[in-house]
Amino acid sequence: MILVGLTGSIGMGKSTTAALFAAEGVPVYDADAAVHALYARGGAAVEPLEQEFGDVVVDGAVDRERLSRKVLNDPDAMKRLEAIVHPLVGASRIGFFKEATEKGADIVVLDIPLLFETGGEKNMQAVVVVSAPADQQRARVLARPGMTVEKFEAILARQTPDAVKRQRADFVIDTGQGIDHARDQVRHVLATLRSGWTRGDEPT
């Protein structure tokens, strides 16, 4: 089973690209969705985050906006958050691998926003970076409800720059040219991986 890490900076179209892989029948592990489940009412992260950060829980669920305000510009708080959440996410990933193995999947995609930032690329057999022109990225992100320029820039500051991600990628998928073009690139990546490609071969 080939482990593919899928990543990309905010607003680059990573979620759309993950859906394209899923549409091709490839199991996709969504780290963000796993975190949402952990933060939801009854989620395993609710109690420890409330104990660590105080009033970040509303109606039994973690309020992501409140939590964000406590950690976004505080590196120490971010480390404490990650120390709680990352092991819980890891446990959910084990269940995903078990199910994919039982289904006989030859490729699985791990959709991880902070893949490079956490060193997770070392555990992957291939890394796919989703990218788009900076002006499209900015327009997409600032169109999101509640997003501000300040918040956008703070998020970018935490992320490995797009140019560095592209340089370190095994494959780059450009979402700036529409969904059909992105779908063709996804199919090309899958065909290349299934042809026996291994890291060290010519990047695509």
Side-chain angles (χ1 to χ4, degrees), residues 145-182:
M147 183 58 68
T148 64
V149 171
E150 181 182 21
K151 190 180 296 185
F152 174 44
E153 291 177 351
I155 293 170
L156 280 184
R158 283 188 57 226
Q159 298 184 335
T160 299
D162 178 59
V164 176
K165 285 190 175 87
R166 292 172 66 100
Q167 190 175 39
R168 296 174 66 184
D170 297 306
F171 303 90
V172 176
I173 292 181
D174 178 8
T175 64
Q177 300 181 54
I179 191 75
D180 291 336
H181 182 66

Side-chain angles (χ1 to χ4, degrees), residues 60-178:
V62 175
D63 185 310
R64 294 174 72 100
E65 186 65 32
R66 290 190 181 194
L67 181 61
S68 176
R69 286 198 296 269
K70 287 186 178 282
V71 305
L72 195 55
N73 294 305
D74 184 339
D76 179 64
M78 185 63 70
K79 287 180 182 177
R80 283 156 36 219
L81 170 64
E82 291 170 349
I84 293 170
V85 174
H86 285 179
L88 297 173
V89 171
S92 73
R93 195 179 300 155
I94 290 171
F96 165 81
F97 282 132
K98 183 174 183 292
E99 184 176 345
T101 300
E102 291 171 350
K103 291 181 177 178
D106 61 337
I107 297 173
V108 295
V109 169
L110 304 181
D111 176 355
I112 305 176
L114 298 179
L115 182 69
F116 288 120
E117 293 82 352
T118 58
E121 79 280 2
K122 294 189 290 289
N123 301 320
M124 304 299 155
Q125 288 151 290
V127 172
V128 177
V129 166
V130 183
S131 186
D135 58 339
Q136 290 192 30
Q137 176 195 26
R138 186 179 183 85
R140 290 171 180 173
V141 175
L142 293 181
R144 296 180 181 182
M147 183 58 68
T148 64
V149 171
E150 181 182 21
K151 190 180 296 185
F152 174 44
E153 291 177 351
I155 293 170
L156 280 184
R158 283 188 57 226
Q159 298 184 335
T160 299
D162 178 59
V164 176
K165 285 190 175 87
R166 292 172 66 100
Q167 190 175 39
R168 296 174 66 184
D170 297 306
F171 303 90
V172 176
I173 292 181
D174 178 8
T175 64
Q177 300 181 54

